[in-house]
Amino acid sequence: MAAKPGIPKGTRDFSPVEMAKRNYIFNTIRDVYHLYGFQQIETPSMEMLSTLMGKYGEEGDKLLFKIQNSGDYFSGITDEELLSRNAAKLASKFCEKGLRYDLTVPFARYVVMHRDEITFPFKRYQIQPVWRADRPQKGRYREFYQCDADVVGSDSLLNEVELMQIVDTVFTRFGIRVCIKINNRKILTGIAEIIGEADKIVDITVAIDKLDKIGLENVNKELAEKGISDEAIAKLQPIILLSGTNAEKLATLKTVLSGSETGLKGVEESEFILDTLQTMGLKNEIELDLTLARGLNYYTGAIFEVKALDVQIGSITGGGRYDNLTGVFGMAGVSGVGISFGADRIFDVLNQLELYPKEAVNGTQLLFINFGEKEAAFSMGILSKARAAGIRAEIFPDAAKMKKQMSYANVKNIPFVAIVGENEMNEGKAMLKNMESGEQQLVTAEELIGALTK
């Protein structure tokens, strides 16, 4: 007996019902992006490793899926190199390409390559899969979709404000209660400066970003392992555990960071974003969270993360300001800011909370029962008119037993069935059955369309 096929860990198949749900997510996000003037682009699934490496920090580089070169990829590799079993070095020799890790770095590469065709500020969105060689667990996959929106070529903080409005609008439409967390890398840089560890900013941010996952004690342990002094770790405690309203936190930070010009700039930027959003009447809570660090190295200003309030799951949206990401591709001075919705985690949240609207997951609205050639030919005429009116309709392709056809309608949750036999044909009508109530009525094609398009 042949072995049962499988799929790689951290990947999933999606059924027709699941795809209907996923398309509801993508379409909702896409509609909101359009409301704010964003235009869609796509980039290849694979990029040159030279484009990807070094953009996500040391931890991110380890999670890149590398693609083996075609042809004789051993040519040019010495026996000594092969026997060294140095995986990283060997991979660099016979892997030139990798699957994209996110959509932001490929977007930066796109901007540089197409700079002469782009009008700045450039507002783009992208809905495509990304891949990470991560350990699969609940809410974390190796293949997953991101739904990104970025603005490049503008320093204005109004971009940050609008992106937070987009986040609020999307989750309000989904019916998911969320907390939008905001911080600023300049504030984190200022904190590193005042505790005397300015050169350890990356180590500090990577560690404190894990506070929710591993707890304060383990964060402090990781900081110590990175060579940060006990005195600096002690100074850090009241800052990362700062509580109160957003205004109270900002007021405290102005005092604490008075000796850091960079830190005060971050406080000023955060204050503008929060104060402006307060006048916009957001439906969801927004919180200044100093433990939010977004471990990625390319953020330079405001950073965002969104947590669902009614489900235990990781971040479902994130993003931030990056002032010179295109600089690594030879185009300096182009500032950008963006967000990324984690479609797969949103899918899980909507499933757990059962928040999908009924119309989002219903496929076919009307099934014509097939009693034979004459009846099918008659039904096809009404079927064509129904489809022309925008009704999702189908006919059972075979003249099978009535029970089998009705079972098909039940399994697919088709709400209406049209029955056309000899009597119905003689009257030029169809018997329309409501599968939920069991009610039946003899109707013309026009009446049938009217009943289903109410």
Side-chain angles (χ1 to χ4, degrees), residues 68 76 110 125 138 214 219 228 268 283 301 380 398 446:
Q68 186 175 288
Y110 175 95
Y125 77 88
K138 182 180 169 66
I214 64 176
V219 167
I228 293 159
E268 181 189 323
K283 302 288 193 299
M380 290 293 285
D398 306 301
E446 290 70 26

Side-chain angles (χ1 to χ4, degrees), residues 305-431:
E305 204 159 89
V306 179
K307 295 288 178 73
L309 295 178
D310 301 315
V311 171
Q312 281 292 108
I313 198 166
S315 165
I316 53 178
T317 298
R321 166 74 62 174
Y322 44 91
D323 275 336
N324 197 26
L325 189 62
T326 55
V328 296
F329 299 122
M331 186 179 175
V334 179
S335 185
V337 60
I339 53 170
S340 179
F341 288 94
D344 294 83
R345 287 187 177 180
I346 293 170
F347 174 82
D348 289 345
V349 171
L350 288 170
N351 273 337
Q352 286 185 57
L353 299 177
E354 297 183 347
L355 287 173
Y356 288 101
K358 194 175 179 182
E359 61 272 16
V361 294
N362 281 349
T364 302
Q365 296 168 276
L366 174 66
L367 173 71
F368 281 82
I369 299 296
N370 186 341
F371 287 121
E373 284 184 25
K374 288 181 182 177
E375 292 86 351
F378 181 89
S379 295
M380 290 293 285
I382 305 175
L383 178 62
S384 296
K385 290 179 182 177
R387 285 174 175 158
I391 295 166
R392 301 184 300 276
E394 60 180 292
I395 185 168
F396 199 86
D398 306 301
K401 290 182 179 178
M402 178 84 159
K403 184 180 178 182
K404 181 178 180 179
Q405 298 189 51
M406 295 300 275
S407 175
Y408 176 85
N410 281 323
V411 169
K412 288 190 70 176
N413 289 314
I414 300 173
F416 290 93
V417 165
I419 300 165
V420 176
E422 194 172 334
N423 293 337
E424 286 79 16
M425 284 195 297
N426 288 338
E427 294 196 42
K429 295 182 179 181
M431 186 67 72

Side-chain angles (χ1 to χ4, degrees), residues 26-41 123-127 149 162 166 170 173:
F26 297 142
N27 292 337
T28 300
I29 293 169
R30 186 180 287 112
D31 288 347
V32 176
Y33 282 161
H34 286 161
L35 279 179
Y36 285 80
F38 287 79
Q39 295 177 298
Q40 187 172 16
I41 68 162
K123 300 171 78 170
R124 87 78 169 88
Y125 77 88
Q126 207 169 335
I127 299 176
E162 286 209 332
I166 286 172
V170 165
R173 289 191 178 190

Side-chain angles (χ1 to χ4, degrees), residues 200-215:
K200 296 282 179 67
I201 177 62
V202 173
D203 291 333
I204 292 169
T205 54
V206 167
I208 68 173
D209 196 35
K210 298 173 183 173
L211 186 68
D212 281 352
K213 302 182 190 81
I214 64 176

